[in-house]
Amino acid sequence: MTKIPHRIGILTSGGDAPGMNAAIRAVVRSALYYDMEVYGIRDGYLGMKRNEVEPLDAGSVGDIIHRGGTFLGTARLPEFATDREVREVCYSTLREHGIEGLVVCGGDGSYRGANLLQKETGIPTVGLPGTIDNDLGYTDFTIGFDTAVNTCVDNINKLRDTMASHGRVSVVEVMGRNCGDIAVHSGIAAGAEAILVPEIHKTDNQWLDYIVRKLRVSFGRGKKYGIIVMAEGINMTPKMHHFTADYIASWLNANADAVGHRVDARGCVIGHVQRGGSPTASDRILAARMGEAAVDVLREGKTNLCVGIRRNRIITTPIDEAVEMKNHVDKHLIALADILAR
Ligand code: F6P
């Protein structure tokens, strides 16, 4: 047990995710309910370094539950992990403001920072999984994932309209770094012919064979267009850098014989649009539940835990363990996508 903090800080760090605002709101209002004070730190660890800290009250987090992004701002500060002097500057900010506990909302890089901070300062820390990637193995879902999937589905629906009108094939790249969850979930929800994820290891030629097989099946049953969803992680290794949505589309256009059908394919990278937009109800509720749980962790005198959800129950896991846990793409969902695309 550590000292129960009275004044806590909150920051959002790394890539923003829809629902971060809802999470900040939940932390602030839960903490105030228990007579704690909350300070917002701007732009993640960068704001800590620059001493950009402000008190937050219930009104400060009004009118943000429905907004995408993070009103505190976010940044990536790689030096935090590598440079002790940078960290010392950050720590002096926390000391100056009398911050006795810290909530960090972000992905695995942000968690590693929180872990270091806790070990070096003794300040109790708690992590909230704020990332669209859903790549944290200890939790079934991260805040922002559901909204990002819905954004992808919405975009793919629109592509589907034009692809269907022209009888084309769309090769759509979605985000997620090395995690294929956004691709799998949006691919199933959008009725994709083929879904490419980095957790399945194939060479470029093996992926092309797979796509061709899937297109042959759907053209064979009379479909006039196609949707291929690929996770960006597919082309993140140097060996696969060339394997972009445009490359696959051009290859298909040049190899219509293999598909056995006229092919007019286009590549589309959805990009950062996936990180924006109003969070879904599901992400807001997840953020509310997790935000409250983060405050509970600090109130109970616990530290160095991150909040997650497993089988719809809020759980906590030691941050050092969480950052080492690999996310495993749901093999059943991949098999299901395959069955449904026949
Ligand atoms: O981690 C969230 C994420 O959106 C990834 O899906 C993506 O690869 C990355 O961030 C993009 O980072 P940046 O915003 O720095 O281009």
Side-chain angles (χ1 to χ4, degrees):
M1 288 274 279
T2 51
K3 181 176 169 252
I4 295 175
H6 173 66
R7 180 176 294 174
I8 65 171
I10 178 161
L11 60 84
T12 48
S13 162
D16 63 342
M20 278 184 162
N21 278 327
I24 301 165
R25 174 179 178 270
V27 168
V28 170
R29 298 231 171 127
S30 302
L32 294 176
Y33 179 79
Y34 292 110
D35 293 325
M36 295 160 103
E37 294 175 2
V38 191
Y39 278 61
I41 300 164
R42 292 267 162 200
D43 299 334
Y45 296 103
L46 184 65
M48 203 187 275
K49 182 173 159 223
R50 293 179 177 160
N51 198 0
E52 290 169 355
V53 179
E54 65 198 85
L56 299 176
D57 59 21
S60 324
V61 291
D63 204 29
I64 62 167
I65 192 170
H66 58 299
R67 294 188 199 283
T70 157
F71 89 103
L72 284 177
T74 185
R76 292 196 168 100
L77 183 68
E79 307 92 275
F80 190 88
T82 54
D83 190 333
R84 176 83 199 216
E85 275 177 34
V86 168
R87 293 202 295 281
E88 282 305 330
V89 177
C90 294
Y91 302 158
S92 62
T93 299
L94 297 182
R95 283 185 210 107
E96 181 184 327
H97 295 277
I99 292 172
E100 301 159 322
L102 185 68
V103 180
V104 170
C105 182
D108 61 341
S110 314
Y111 276 14
R112 285 178 207 278
N115 197 18
L116 263 177
L117 184 147
Q118 194 279 330
K119 294 210 156 85
E120 291 175 350
T121 63
I123 293 176
T125 56
V126 54
L128 286 177
T131 167
I132 64 165
D133 296 344
N134 211 38
D135 57 350
L136 295 166
Y138 77 95
T139 179
D140 289 344
F141 295 108
T142 56
I143 298 165
F145 171 69
D146 185 64
T147 307
V149 168
N150 276 283
T151 299
C152 290
V153 171
D154 187 42
N155 276 271
I156 298 169
N157 286 343
K158 288 176 176 141
L159 282 170
R160 180 190 274 272
D161 291 343
T162 173
M163 293 300 130
S165 304
H166 286 262
R168 284 178 173 159
V169 172
S170 208
V171 184
V172 190
E173 184 189 290
V174 300
M175 281 185 168
R177 284 188 206 271
N178 292 316
C179 178
D181 282 10
I182 296 180
V184 172
H185 285 246
S186 57
I188 290 178
E193 267 64 45
I195 303 172
L196 285 60
V197 293
E199 291 88 346
I200 296 180
H201 300 287
K202 289 190 200 284
T203 64
D204 47 1
N205 285 331
Q206 286 168 336
W207 278 124
L208 290 170
D209 280 353
Y210 163 74
I211 294 168
V212 164
R213 246 187 304 119
K214 302 301 286 184
L215 286 176
R216 284 186 81 92
V217 170
S218 62
F219 283 136
R221 67 171 151 80
K223 196 166 175 182
K224 302 274 183 291
Y225 66 97
I227 306 285
I228 313 294
V229 176
M230 65 181 291
E232 64 178 359
I234 286 284
N235 56 43
M236 278 184 162
T237 58
K239 227 175 163 180
M240 292 289 275
H241 273 164
H242 64 287
F243 204 62
T244 61
D246 275 344
Y247 174 92
I248 298 172
S250 309
W251 187 93
L252 288 170
N253 291 335
N255 291 275
D257 287 355
V259 181
H261 194 276
R262 181 188 73 88
V263 181
D264 186 9
R266 297 285 190 280
C268 171
V269 178
I270 300 185
H272 286 80
V273 167
Q274 287 160 91
R275 289 226 302 254
S278 180
T280 58
S282 180
D283 268 332
R284 296 181 201 190
I285 293 164
L286 185 64
R289 293 174 71 190
M290 289 183 164
E292 182 206 33
V295 172
D296 286 347
V297 165
L298 295 175
R299 277 196 321 117
E300 286 162 11
K302 296 180 186 154
T303 182
N304 218 19
L305 295 174
C306 48
V307 179
I309 189 162
R310 280 249 181 235
R311 296 168 190 253
N312 203 24
R313 290 206 178 283
I314 296 294
I315 51 127
T316 56
T317 305
I319 294 182
D320 354 27
E321 285 174 29
V323 292
E324 299 307 328
M325 284 166 77
K326 257 185 101 85
N327 185 55
H328 297 287
V329 74
D330 186 337
K331 293 252 166 63
H332 178 70
L333 281 184
I334 305 245
L336 175 63
D338 204 54
I339 291 169
L340 299 183
R342 276 164 208 267

